[in-house]
Amino acid sequence: MSSLLSRLLLFFAASLLVDAAAYGAAQYGPLPAGVILVKGAWSSAAGASSPLPEDGKMSSGRYDNAYFGLGYAVGSNWTQRYEGPPPSDSGYYVLAQIEPQNPALDPSMGHILIAAQDLFFTLAPARSASELVSYYQQHLGAEYRVERDPIKVRIADRDFVRLDYLSAVAGLHWHVLATEIRCHVVQFVFTGSSPKSMERLVEGMKTMIQPTVSPPVCLKDFATPDTVLEREEPVFSQLRFNPVAVRIVIDQEGRVRHIHFLSAFPEQAKNISDALLQWRFKPYLLDGQPVEVETGLLFGRSARPSAAALR
Amino acid sequence: MKKLLAIASMLLFSAALAFPGNVLAQTDPGVRGGPINGQPGATQGGPLPLASVNANAPTGILEFFDNGLGRFQEQEVVSGGVNNGLGPRFNLNSCSGCHAQPAVGGSSPPSNPEFQVIAQGIASGSTNTLPSFITAHGPTLEVRFPFFTNSNGGPNRSAPNGGVENLFTVSDRPDAGSCNLQQPNFQQAQQSNNIIFRIPTPTFGLGLIENIDDSTLLANQQAQAANNFGIAGAFNRNGNDGTIARFGWKAQNKSLLVFAGEAYNVEMGITNEMFSQERPLPQEEQGNGLPSNCLNLSGRGYPEDATNFNVAPNSDQAAQNAQVPSDVVLFAEFMRLLAPPVPSTNTPGGAQSIASGFALFKAIGCSTCHTPAIRATQPSNVTASLGNVTVRAFSDFEIHHMGNGLADNVSQGGAGGDQFRTAPLWGLGQRIFFLHDGRTTNLLSAIADHRSNGSEATQVAENFSSLSNGQQQQVLNFLRSL
């Protein structure tokens, strides 16, 4: 018995040593190449676990995003070679960058960008997919020609706004299809030299899976003196000037259940989440029943002071 | 012999049939010849100032530019010379050594002056070893270690560093007394991959960049938000007042004066009115700083570069005035008053190719970050050429995520390890080395390196790839025309 115990103890001690060595190697060994170890303002989350917009995945020719409830089967000959950047402090997401497995086989296949713009934090003066697409159109440079003015289309039982344009000099076409989900404009941008091939990809959107679970009600500027019953201001230990865009989910009882930092330095995220978890909201009622609410808050320096604030 | 030639011709012909793309492939035209900076009259040692400066308006300003140009080229020593204060650690002994291509004020030259530092006795070979990454015709480099090291020399990932590790010490120079310092352990840093490089940024036209109001940059950012290329940048804001910083590879420096003062201190070890203490290495700073026998080596006290209060009277009042400011003030004036490069309208490839290349550059999305023109600078209280003009720098002066392929894991101000300021492209046609670490001399490689995991530029690089060889050549011709 004592022999078995000694062996167990020896094994346990050896495991600790191996773990310590592995930890040391990870902590002090050569730095891995091609890894972003020092991050600036970055996305993160606190509170209860919940899907995030940037957590979508491309696998086996199919893009799935639990936050937006999307499932888009592009085809097995498509892949994502390079992931996008983290969300911006103005709420822009590169969700997926999809390209052919072997572009050399058919260069005209083009490529697909799936992006999202959080309507709570957008730099563009837009409150909807329609307004955002119109903003795109207004800002198209002289090198582009509109092939199809923004038009409402219905795909997979969902309203989209579609804009097609072309660069004649590059021989490239863009088909932009934008829809609103959870106060974001989710955009499918098809780029390529063959409108026919691109149209096939648009057709493929018809099989897109739609949200199965009702997401929280999204409300812009929900946090007002009327709705915030208890409020603790975050205290920042370091002077920074970046805007910190935050999405929160408030439960039926008015407590902050989930916090998503689109772009924050770690100490900012810590201080803000410490404060937000103490906030208490007046429950939001829908048809007389309290429901979960998703809203946006901007801490730190505002990226764009409102015109009123400047007066 | 004729038979051999015939066989060779047949083989080449067959290769052309089999791999037409390769034979007709687009190529970087290389460094553009012709007038330096596209400005007739400019020479390697004599870059041109802005037009109003050249016209000496306001009176005396040309003297400040010329004096600044002279000081930019001065060779510094430790003590006992005309220009003192070098070290105790340094990368080179003059500004113009590194800022040299295609003229004084520019970027890394074809022959690396750092390679000659020991051979020329600027650093003693008995106490200094030439690091292996400093090569005769490679870029001039500044070195940083992303992380501090533990006692075994391995990088400690919980202790970010990122400060400059100077290449050389003044130890054993006859004018450096008993100061005895070791070089950083570059070999160990290389073995642990804990090392990154930066090349000098060109300084032509910087006065225009300095004179853009924040509101103009913010308006440009808002306009560029309407893109379908996956791009959304941010600004690196100055930690003191929150305004937009805009100089340096990560837009970490607010003004030309800060830029000059920091470089004088960090690259040459010369204290000045902006940075008035000798600079130890980052790891030394965490300990006891520099040893006392490495302080005040010039014997003149601090700062080593200071305002010249006692300038000898001169019948030329303007010349006398220009002698009064410290070196860093005149470095800043020199950079502020340097004219921006002038693009060629027909070289390389001809006017039509360049024009088409510019149109393609915009169409595929390069101009979303590399904004061709920002309108316009603030009114200037310095000289007319700096005020109310369009800045054709091809930059938005934002910092963008450039992905794991370019990340250097150095954070500066609000910029993280993978964020870089959009490099201004004006003058690109006559630059030799590209990207922050000078890793390539080939524009095609530089473009390809814009694509990696986490980069905002991947879609644009994809668009470039989707162009025909001929179209890509036009883009390259356009870029080399700048």
Side-chain angles (χ1 to χ4, degrees):
Chain A
M1 183 66 188
S2 66
S3 162
L4 180 65
L5 191 64
S6 342
R7 268 187 278 174
L8 275 173
L9 281 172
L10 196 63
F11 175 75
F12 180 66
S15 308
L16 282 180
L17 282 174
V18 169
D19 285 350
Y23 174 77
Q27 183 72 2
Y28 299 122
L31 298 179
V35 178
I36 302 167
L37 297 166
V38 178
K39 295 178 176 175
W42 209 268
S43 63
S44 60
S49 177
S50 187
L52 302 175
E54 65 267 33
D55 285 348
K57 291 276 176 260
M58 180 76 189
S59 175
S60 305
R62 178 190 162 84
Y63 175 71
D64 285 290
N65 187 305
Y67 178 87
F68 291 115
L70 286 175
Y72 173 41
V74 198
S76 58
N77 53 342
W78 292 81
T79 190
Q80 172 164 261
R81 196 158 286 125
Y82 302 106
E83 291 175 3
S88 78
D89 59 21
S90 56
Y92 182 77
Y93 296 80
V94 173
L95 300 177
Q97 305 184 105
I98 308 171
E99 56 183 304
Q101 293 262 13
N102 188 350
L105 283 181
D106 182 1
S108 70
M109 287 175 78
H111 51 97
I112 307 165
L113 165 70
I114 306 178
Q117 175 61 58
D118 189 323
L119 286 170
F120 294 160
F121 307 114
T122 176
L123 294 179
R127 292 161 298 180
S128 64
S130 176
E131 288 182 1
L132 192 64
V133 171
S134 294
Y135 187 73
Y136 289 160
Q137 186 184 12
Q138 289 158 17
H139 284 79
L140 281 179
E143 58 277 9
Y144 302 107
R145 192 182 78 230
V146 171
E147 295 185 293
R148 184 199 302 251
D149 281 319
I151 180 175
K152 283 193 177 168
V153 294
R154 192 140 178 97
I155 299 173
D157 290 329
R158 174 165 284 283
D159 288 329
F160 281 81
V161 181
R162 175 170 178 170
L163 167 70
D164 293 358
Y165 58 93
L166 152 81
S167 162
V169 66
L172 289 174
H173 302 257
W174 280 264
H175 294 177
V176 181
L177 289 104
T179 187
E180 285 172 44
I181 308 177
R182 296 181 75 163
C183 296
H184 294 77
V185 177
V186 178
Q187 302 148 71
F188 292 76
V189 181
F190 302 92
T191 307
S193 57
S194 165
K196 211 170 166 182
S197 300
M198 293 161 67
E199 205 54 54
R200 274 200 295 273
L201 293 169
V202 174
E203 282 290 309
M205 290 175 67
K206 286 182 177 168
T207 59
M208 207 160 53
I209 294 171
Q210 293 303 299
T212 51
V213 181
S214 293
V217 174
C218 66
L219 296 170
K220 187 176 168 69
D221 300 329
F222 178 66
T224 65
D226 288 341
T227 58
V228 183
L229 304 177
E230 293 171 30
R231 179 182 180 120
E232 187 72 29
E233 292 301 330
V235 178
F236 296 111
S237 54
Q238 195 169 349
L239 179 64
R240 292 190 185 273
F241 294 93
N242 59 310
V244 182
V246 184
R247 274 228 174 197
I248 57 172
V249 176
I250 304 158
D251 67 18
Q252 288 102 324
E253 290 166 356
R255 291 195 169 81
V256 175
R257 178 173 72 78
H258 169 74
I259 305 167
H260 178 213
F261 297 94
L262 282 67
S263 176
F265 288 93
E267 81 277 3
Q268 291 177 320
K270 170 78 170 61
N271 294 337
I272 292 170
S273 59
D274 284 351
L276 279 177
L277 290 172
Q278 299 178 60
W279 285 28
R280 185 79 187 273
F281 288 81
K282 188 191 287 184
Y284 182 73
L285 303 179
L286 191 66
D287 299 328
Q289 295 298 312
V291 293
E292 282 198 336
V293 169
E294 184 172 23
T295 191
L297 298 165
L298 195 60
F299 291 92
R301 184 191 177 105
S302 166
R304 287 284 181 278
S306 69
L310 293 172
R311 281 189 204 113
Chain B
M1 185 64 186
K2 274 185 183 173
K3 198 173 176 181
L4 266 178
L5 279 172
I7 293 169
S9 304
M10 281 289 288
L11 284 173
L12 277 174
F13 181 68
S14 307
L17 286 178
F19 307 105
N22 290 346
V23 172
L24 302 172
Q26 62 290 0
T27 54
D28 178 355
V31 176
R32 193 181 79 240
I36 284 176
N37 276 340
Q39 299 157 332
T43 63
Q44 200 284 329
L48 297 187
L50 295 159
S52 61
V53 177
N54 206 32
N56 201 26
T59 302
I61 195 168
L62 186 56
E63 196 69 49
F64 276 71
F65 174 81
D66 288 338
N67 195 314
L69 170 61
R71 296 202 206 185
F72 205 81
Q73 297 175 87
E74 282 172 356
Q75 309 275 314
E76 305 287 336
V77 296
V78 180
S79 64
V82 179
N83 306 299
N84 303 300
L86 182 72
R89 296 183 183 278
F90 64 98
N91 287 329
L92 201 63
N93 63 341
S94 76
C95 305
S96 61
C98 294
H99 292 277
Q101 171 67 24
V104 171
S107 186
S108 196
S111 293
N112 184 358
E114 291 172 337
F115 189 75
Q116 298 297 330
V117 163
I118 294 175
Q120 293 181 353
I122 302 167
S124 166
S126 67
T127 52
N128 289 270
T129 306
L130 193 67
S132 61
F133 46 79
I134 300 296
T135 57
H137 299 289
T140 54
L141 296 175
E142 177 198 71
V143 179
R144 294 168 189 257
F145 297 166
F147 294 95
F148 285 105
T149 52
N150 64 1
S151 55
N152 298 326
N156 179 356
R157 295 182 206 183
S158 59
N161 174 358
V164 172
E165 306 284 336
N166 294 99
L167 298 175
F168 306 107
T169 79
V170 298
S171 302
D172 203 37
R173 273 179 61 120
D175 59 355
S178 61
C179 176
N180 185 17
L181 295 171
Q182 304 290 310
Q183 288 169 287
N185 194 336
F186 295 120
Q187 196 178 0
Q188 188 178 61
Q190 282 182 289
Q191 284 166 355
S192 56
N193 195 29
N194 187 28
I195 190 167
I196 66 100
F197 305 110
R198 300 267 178 89
I199 65 170
T201 52
T203 65
F204 307 113
L206 293 194
L208 297 170
I209 296 171
E210 189 179 48
N211 205 34
I212 303 171
D213 187 67
D214 283 12
S215 61
T216 308
L217 295 175
L218 290 165
N220 182 63
Q221 184 193 35
Q222 189 170 25
Q224 300 302 334
N227 75 80
N228 286 310
F229 302 113
I231 294 167
F235 289 107
N236 197 351
R237 291 181 177 275
N238 176 38
N240 286 322
D241 64 0
T243 56
I244 296 170
R246 54 197 70 186
F247 298 109
W249 283 106
K250 299 212 174 200
Q252 70 272 22
N253 283 322
K254 169 66 190 164
S255 72
L256 290 174
L257 197 51
V258 172
F259 193 44
E262 188 197 352
Y264 212 21
N265 189 232
V266 171
E267 311 297 345
M268 295 163 69
I270 297 181
T271 56
N272 54 73
E273 288 155 334
M274 300 290 294
F275 292 83
S276 49
Q277 275 73 45
E278 295 285 12
R279 181 183 171 276
L281 295 178
Q283 201 119 4
E284 287 171 337
E285 179 70 20
Q286 291 203 325
N288 297 322
L290 286 163
S292 59
N293 62 346
C294 293
L295 297 175
N296 197 22
L297 293 176
S298 72
R300 295 166 40 159
Y302 290 106
E304 289 151 329
D305 166 41
T307 303
N308 304 298
F309 296 109
N310 193 20
V311 171
N314 188 330
S315 57
D316 183 341
Q317 185 63 49
Q320 185 179 326
N321 290 346
Q323 287 171 8
V324 173
S326 61
D327 287 351
V328 291
V329 169
L330 281 194
F331 293 158
E333 289 295 0
F334 167 65
M335 295 189 284
R336 186 173 292 125
L337 304 179
L338 267 173
V342 176
S344 170
T345 54
N346 55 22
T347 305
Q352 183 145 13
S353 176
I354 290 169
S356 299
F358 185 28
L360 288 164
F361 177 86
K362 290 186 282 187
I364 63 175
C366 306
S367 60
T368 306
C369 301
H370 293 286
T371 311
I374 289 188
R375 299 185 181 85
T377 57
Q378 309 169 121
S380 175
N381 191 27
V382 176
T383 189
S385 293
L386 285 176
N388 305 310
V389 293
T390 299
V391 184
R392 302 185 191 282
F394 290 87
S395 175
D396 55 9
F397 304 103
E398 295 171 28
I399 49 173
H400 293 275
H401 291 282
M402 295 308 296
N404 66 345
L406 287 175
D408 67 1
N409 282 317
V410 171
S411 174
Q412 292 182 281
D418 67 324
Q419 288 172 292
F420 292 90
R421 177 189 70 156
T422 304
L425 299 184
W426 57 9
L428 184 80
Q430 295 187 325
R431 284 183 56 188
I432 298 170
F433 301 100
F434 301 118
L435 300 174
H436 63 278
D437 51 9
R439 63 178 68 182
T440 181
T441 56
N442 189 318
L443 277 177
L444 277 169
S445 300
I447 293 168
D449 286 345
H450 279 58
R451 182 167 44 183
S452 67
N453 271 323
S455 171
E456 293 179 40
T458 295
Q459 290 294 299
V460 175
E462 288 284 335
N463 290 341
F464 179 78
S465 298
S466 70
L467 299 178
S468 69
N469 289 346
Q471 288 172 316
Q472 290 187 10
Q473 188 63 58
Q474 290 171 335
V475 174
L476 297 173
N477 289 345
F478 159 70
L479 291 171
R480 282 297 191 181
S481 77
L482 295 175

